[in-house]
Amino acid sequence: MSASQPARAPRAARVFAAILGVIAIALGAYLAYGGLQLLQLGGSFYYLPVGLLVLVAGVFLVRADVRGAWLYAACLAITVVWALWEAGWHFWPLAARIGLPAVLGMLIALVVPYLRGSERCAHIKGASRGTAALLALGIVGAFIAAFQPIWTVKPGAEPEIAQGYQPGDDHANWTNYGRTPDGTQFATADQITPGNVKGLQVAWTFRTGDFAFGGKENQNTPLQIGNVLYACTPSNQVFAIEADTGKQLWTFDPKVNSGFSPTWQRCRSLAYYELPQTAESAPAPKTPAASAPVTPPSGACARRIYLTTADMRLIALDAANGQFCSGFGKNGQVSLATGMGDIVPGFYNPTAGPVLAGDRLLVGGWVMDNQSVDEPSGAVRAFDAVTGDLAWAWDVGRPGVTTAPGPGEHYTRGTPNTWAAPTYDAELGLVYLPTGNGTPDMYGGHRTPETDRVSSSVVALDARTGAERWVFQTTHHDVWDYDLPSKPVLYDVPGDNGQRIPALIQTTKRGEIFVIDRRSGKPIAEVQEKPVSTEGLPGEKLAATQPYSVGMPQIRQGVLTEAQMWGITPIDQLACRIAFKQLEYKGDFTPPSTNWYIPHPSPFGTMNWGGISIDKVHDYLIVNDMRIMMKARLLPRAEADKAIIASGKTTPSVAGVVPMEGTPYGVNRVMVTSQIGVPCTDPPFGMMTAIDLKTRKIAWQRSLGTVEQMGPMGIKTGLPIPIGMPSLGGPVATASGLIFYTGTADYYLRAMDVKTGEEIWKSPLPVGAQSTPLVFKSPSSGKQYVVVTAGGGRTAPDRGDYIIAYALPDAK
C-alpha cells in the first residue's frame, strides 16, 4: 500500500494539471479571440498576445510539461505589470485584472513538481510551494481587503463649527419633505450622538398593509407634527400614527383608481397647514419651523393634511381625525385634471406631493418619459390652502398669464414639468421650481423657444402671484433626460470676510452642483460654459456649450475610458471593454444617435430625488450618488413602431423601447453590464460625500452600500462587501454630528459620523428602503426617534409595508 502511494500521487497531480491546462486553453482562446475584436476596435493590445500565451501554456499543461507553468508564470508577471500600469494601486481595478489569473497561477504552482522537466531543478518543489503560498497569501489578503470601504477622499483635520451657528429647538416639527420649507434635511435633535448611537433599538413597528409591488415604490418620509406622524403609502393612503407608541390614530384611503397610474405609484410627502387663529390674521405662513411650538388652532379642519393622488386629486383632511375638509374645493377635493386636456392613464402623476408656500399649495407633476410630444402640460399650479381655489398657474406656453385656461382651452401640452419638490423662501416671498424638459426627453427638434428657455432649470416665482422672477438653466436644450431630480436647497453659505450669502444649492443628474444667489439667480460658485459636440441628427438643435459648476466639486465618474471598464474577472472585463468600444461616445453630451451611444452621466443620474442634507453645525453639504453607465439608441419611426409591437406591451411604460410619438424616432435605453449582470464601470457604484461649503472642496468621500443582497446574475452574495451600490433617498444630518441613511441596495439603516464619514452603527431592515429617514424629538416623552419607511428597494425583489421607529432605551 505504502509502496503504491508515490506512483498514484504523480498520476493524480498530472490529471489535475491536465484539467488546469484545459481551463487555461479555454481562457486563452477567449482572451485571444476577444482581444482580436478589441484590437480591431482600436482597443488595448494586452489581451491578444497574453491570450495566445495562456493558450499555449494550457497545451503544455495538458501534456504535463513544465514549460506550461513557466509560460503561465510569464503571463502572470506581464499581467501584474500591465495592471499596475493601467490601474495604479486602486484595489478593485487591480482585483479584476489579477484575481482570477492569480488563483489559476496558485493551482498551477502546486502541480509543478509533478510535471515533466521539473526534475532538472533541484529546488523546484520548494520554490513552487513557496510561490503557491505567496499567491495564496495575496488572495487571502485581497479577500480581506474587499471588506474595506473605498475612500476616494479621506477626512483631514476636524471641521470647525460654522460661524454664527446656534443650536435649534429640539421640539421643531418636520413639516416638509426636506423637514422645513428650505429643504435642508437637517435635524436639530441631538440626543442620539456618535457616542451612544450603538444603543439604538427598535421602539415600534407599524404595518400599513400597502405593499410596493408592480409599479409601486414606497419613497415616503412622514411628517411629524408634535406627537403625531403623518405617513402616506404608494397607493396614497394616509396614516396618523402616535409618535411614541406607533399606535394608529386614524387612516384615510382615497381609493385611487390604480388603472389610472399603472406604472408609477408613489407618495413622497404630504403637506401640513394651520389656519390663522382669527379672521383678521393675515394669510402668512403658518408652517411650524425651527422654533418652540405654540398652541395649535382648534376646531374642525383648523389643522390640515394635504395629499395628491395618482388619479389626479388634491385632498384636504382634518389632521385630527382624517375626515375631509368640506370647505376645501368640492367636499374636500380639487380635481387636478381641470384644464389639463386629454390624459392617457399613467401619463401624469404628482408624485412629490403638495408643497406649502405661505398659504399656497404648490402642485407639480411627473409626466411619463418619452411617450409623445402631446403629453400633459408641465404647468405648476398654486391653490389657496383654505378654499382650494386656484391662486395662479405657471404655464410656459402662456407667458405672463397666470390664470386658468378658458372654456375649451387647456394648459400648454408637452411643456417642462416639475416632478421634484419645490422649496420656499418666506422672507423673499419666492418659490423655486426644479424643472424637467419638454416632452419627449431624448429628441427636441420640435421644441419651442419658450420650452427650451426653462427646461432643466431652476425657476424662481413670486409665491403670491406666480410671476416669474428669474431662471437659471443647468442644461441647454436637454436631450439627455437631465431634468432636475431634486428639490433646490436654501442655505446661507459662507462668503468672504465672514459674511453669509443667501444661496440656493441645486444638485443634478449630471453630477454638477450649482450654488446660486437665490435673490437673483446669479452664480455664487463659478459656472463656466464649455464647448460640446453639436453633431446631432437632422432637425435637432444642440447647444454649442453647456454650463459646468467649476466652483464646486463634480460628484460623478469623469470622462469614460476603456481602462475604466470593469468586471469581476478578466473575462467579463474584456466583454465590457468590447462593448464600450462598440458604442458611440464623445464625452459629456454625446449627441443622441441612431447607433448605440453612451449618455454619460446616465439619465438615471448621479444625484436623484432624495436630495442633499446640510450639516449646519459644520457648513457641510452631504450627498449620496450613484454611478451607472447606460447606452441608448434612437430608432427611426418605422423600426420603433415594429419594436414596440414585438415587445408585447399592452400599457405605456418607461422601460424598453418607448415611442416618442410625434417625432421621427423612438428610443431604447438600457444599462451596460457584463454577461453576469455586473456594471461595466469601475466601482464604487454609489458614494456618500461631504463637501465643505467654506472651502467648496470635498471633505471626505467613500463608498456607500454593500452587495449583501445583490450579486452576479441576480444571486444574493450574502457578503457585506462595501463596494458601493446605486442609492435612492436622501441623507439626514443631525446637530449631534450624525448622518442617518437607508437608501442603499442592502437592507440597513446606517449612522455615519458627519466629521469623518465612518460608519458607526447599522441595523438590519426587513426589506430595503429608498426613503429619507425622519429624525425628531417627541415633545411628549422627550425621546429622539429615527423613523424609517421600508417598502423594498428598486433593485431588490423583496417587498414590505414597514414604518419602523428607533430610539435609545429609556432616553429622557
Side-chain angles (χ1 to χ4, degrees):
M1 182 94 169
S2 59
S4 64
Q5 283 178 346
R8 285 202 302 269
R11 284 200 299 270
R14 288 174 182 176
V15 169
F16 186 51
I19 294 172
L20 294 177
V22 171
I23 294 172
I25 289 170
L27 176 62
Y30 174 84
L31 294 179
Y33 177 72
L36 178 60
Q37 286 184 287
L38 190 59
L39 271 177
Q40 291 172 336
L41 293 167
S44 172
F45 183 75
Y46 161 81
Y47 290 92
L48 175 58
V50 168
L52 292 173
L53 286 175
V54 171
L55 190 154
V56 174
V59 172
F60 279 117
L61 287 170
V62 168
R63 299 171 60 189
D65 191 319
V66 75
R67 286 177 291 182
W70 303 143
L71 268 178
Y72 189 83
C75 290
L76 185 57
I78 292 170
T79 296
V80 170
V81 172
W82 166 76
L84 288 170
W85 170 77
E86 190 174 60
W89 292 98
H90 301 291
F91 174 76
W92 285 105
L94 282 179
R97 290 162 171 82
I98 300 175
L100 178 61
V103 170
L104 185 57
M106 177 190 70
L107 297 175
I108 291 173
L110 290 173
V111 300
V112 164
Y114 306 103
L115 301 179
R116 288 196 303 273
S118 61
E119 64 278 2
R120 298 170 188 163
C121 181
H123 305 291
I124 190 70
K125 192 169 187 178
S128 64
R129 288 179 175 175
T131 300
L134 185 63
L135 289 171
L137 186 63
I139 293 165
V140 171
F143 183 76
I144 295 171
F147 289 86
Q148 304 305 309
I150 304 168
W151 290 89
T152 52
V153 179
K154 290 194 173 182
E158 183 167 319
E160 299 177 354
I161 301 297
Q163 186 174 359
Y165 171 75
Q166 295 293 330
D169 190 325
D170 287 346
H171 293 277
N173 291 324
W174 192 294
T175 60
N176 293 68
Y177 175 70
R179 182 175 171 267
T180 48
D182 57 19
T184 55
Q185 283 175 202
F186 175 74
T188 58
D190 59 4
Q191 185 181 98
I192 303 170
T193 69
N196 64 23
V197 68
K198 291 181 179 179
L200 276 184
Q201 298 176 359
V202 173
W204 51 259
T205 299
F206 184 85
R207 305 291 296 271
T208 68
D210 191 0
F211 288 80
F213 288 112
K216 296 181 179 180
E217 291 189 12
N218 198 328
Q219 300 171 345
N220 175 243
T221 299
L223 303 184
Q224 171 261 324
I225 313 297
N227 198 40
V228 181
L229 308 186
Y230 299 94
C232 61
T233 69
S235 60
N236 302 122
Q237 297 178 53
V238 180
F239 293 86
I241 305 167
E242 190 173 70
D244 284 301
T245 64
K247 174 185 176 182
Q248 179 177 303
L249 301 176
W250 56 258
T251 183
F252 170 80
D253 186 354
K255 301 189 184 304
V256 169
N257 178 358
S258 61
F260 201 85
S261 184
T263 62
W264 207 256
Q265 295 185 55
R266 57 214 67 209
C267 179
R268 294 195 182 106
S269 191
L270 303 164
Y272 173 77
Y273 180 68
E274 294 180 2
L275 270 63
Q277 294 278 12
T278 65
E280 292 77 22
S281 299
K286 302 298 291 182
T287 330
S291 58
V294 296
T295 303
S298 58
C301 284
R303 299 182 302 112
R304 301 182 175 192
I305 293 294
Y306 302 90
L307 71 146
T308 50
T309 65
D311 55 3
M312 299 186 66
R313 288 177 284 163
L314 171 62
I315 298 174
L317 303 175
D318 191 327
N321 55 32
Q323 300 298 309
F324 284 111
C325 292
S326 59
F328 182 86
K330 185 177 181 180
N331 298 321
Q333 303 184 74
V334 171
S335 172
L336 297 177
T338 302
M340 296 294 281
D342 294 334
I343 297 180
V344 176
F347 271 35
Y348 184 90
N349 193 337
T351 55
V355 171
L356 188 69
D359 62 351
R360 303 287 196 243
L361 285 165
L362 270 61
V363 177
W366 173 80
V367 176
M368 187 177 286
D369 296 39
N370 291 311
Q371 303 302 310
S372 168
V373 298
D374 188 38
E375 292 194 56
S377 176
V380 175
R381 291 167 283 178
F383 298 89
D384 186 289
V386 177
T387 67
D389 294 339
L390 180 71
W392 53 259
W394 179 71
D395 182 1
V396 172
R398 301 184 303 150
V401 179
T402 58
T403 56
E409 299 177 341
H410 51 71
Y411 296 107
T412 310
R413 306 279 289 179
T415 54
N417 62 330
T418 297
W419 62 268
T423 45
Y424 171 55
D425 187 321
E427 183 176 342
L428 294 176
L430 297 179
V431 294
Y432 304 95
L433 312 180
T435 70
N437 44 52
T439 60
D441 300 283
M442 311 298 284
Y443 179 80
H446 60 285
R447 293 181 191 164
T448 65
E450 291 83 4
T451 287
D452 266 344
R453 182 181 67 87
V454 298
S455 291
S456 301
S457 300
V458 180
V459 179
L461 306 178
D462 186 295
R464 300 291 304 164
T465 68
E468 193 175 296
R469 294 293 181 242
W470 54 257
V471 176
F472 179 89
Q473 191 161 66
T474 66
T475 301
H476 307 319
H477 191 72
D478 180 9
V479 289
W480 300 270
D481 197 8
Y482 289 155
D483 50 350
L484 293 188
S486 57
K487 64 187 183 319
V489 173
L490 313 183
Y491 185 61
D492 293 351
V493 299
D496 298 331
N497 303 319
Q499 83 272 26
R500 311 285 293 195
I501 306 171
L504 180 149
I505 304 171
Q506 181 65 61
T507 55
T508 66
K509 290 181 178 181
R510 293 175 51 204
E512 302 288 330
I513 301 174
F514 293 93
V515 181
I516 56 183
D517 190 317
R518 64 179 183 264
R519 299 167 296 187
S520 63
K522 303 299 182 184
I524 294 172
E526 183 184 0
V527 174
Q528 289 182 5
E529 291 283 341
K530 296 185 179 182
V532 295
S533 175
T534 58
E535 298 176 6
L537 294 168
E540 194 54 276
K541 303 171 288 188
L542 299 182
T545 65
Q546 293 288 353
Y548 285 79
S549 183
V550 297
M552 287 288 287
Q554 274 190 336
I555 307 299
R556 51 165 286 190
Q557 293 159 322
V559 175
L560 296 176
T561 66
E562 181 202 324
Q564 289 177 285
M565 296 303 106
W566 192 72
I568 295 176
T569 69
I571 297 171
D572 48 326
Q573 185 183 69
L574 176 54
C576 284
R577 285 176 179 254
I578 293 170
F580 174 75
K581 298 298 288 188
Q582 288 173 333
L583 298 171
E584 285 188 11
Y585 181 59
K586 300 177 181 178
D588 291 356
F589 300 102
T590 295
S593 172
T594 53
N595 299 317
W596 284 104
Y597 69 98
I598 300 176
H600 185 77
S602 84
F604 281 175
T606 57
M607 294 165 277
N608 213 288
W609 55 262
I612 63 173
S613 177
I614 301 293
D615 169 23
K616 297 182 179 181
V617 180
H618 304 102
D619 280 329
Y620 272 12
L621 181 160
I622 311 298
V623 61
N624 58 287
D625 73 89
M626 52 184 167
R627 305 179 180 210
I628 301 169
M629 185 170 75
M630 294 185 70
K631 63 180 180 180
R633 177 175 173 249
L634 299 189
L635 286 69
R637 172 54 48 207
E639 183 181 347
D641 293 343
K642 289 179 181 178
I644 291 171
I645 293 172
S647 71
K649 283 187 180 183
T650 57
T651 58
S653 74
V654 297
V657 179
V658 286
M660 298 207 301
E661 292 176 357
T663 78
Y665 307 99
V667 68
N668 192 6
R669 300 184 298 185
V670 295
M671 285 181 58
V672 183
T673 63
S674 69
Q675 307 99 312
I676 57 176
V678 174
C680 269
T681 50
D682 281 340
F685 309 122
M687 304 199 81
M688 181 78 82
T689 304
I691 298 173
D692 189 332
L693 290 171
K694 296 182 287 294
T695 63
R696 300 177 192 167
K697 297 183 182 301
I698 294 176
W700 53 259
Q701 187 176 64
R702 54 157 297 163
S703 58
L704 179 67
T706 74
V707 296
E708 187 169 342
Q709 270 83 29
M710 298 189 73
M713 297 179 288
I715 301 171
K716 295 181 181 181
T717 66
L719 299 173
I721 298 174
I723 199 170
M725 300 299 291
S727 59
L728 287 170
V732 174
T734 74
S736 65
L738 290 170
I739 301 167
F740 287 103
Y741 190 77
T742 63
T744 52
D746 53 1
Y747 305 172
Y748 288 99
L749 165 65
R750 286 179 166 84
M752 305 167 73
D753 190 320
V754 75
K755 297 179 183 178
T756 65
E758 294 285 350
E759 182 182 290
I760 304 174
W761 169 87
K762 67 179 180 180
S763 177
L765 299 172
V767 296
Q770 50 181 0
S771 58
T772 301
L774 163 67
V775 182
F776 70 98
K777 187 175 180 181
S778 165
S780 298
S781 67
K783 278 190 175 185
Q784 180 181 338
Y785 292 93
V786 180
V787 178
V788 175
T789 299
R794 181 174 296 179
T795 55
D798 304 309
R799 292 291 178 263
D801 64 338
Y802 301 91
I803 301 175
I804 306 171
Y806 293 80
L808 295 171
D810 302 319
K812 295 290 184 181

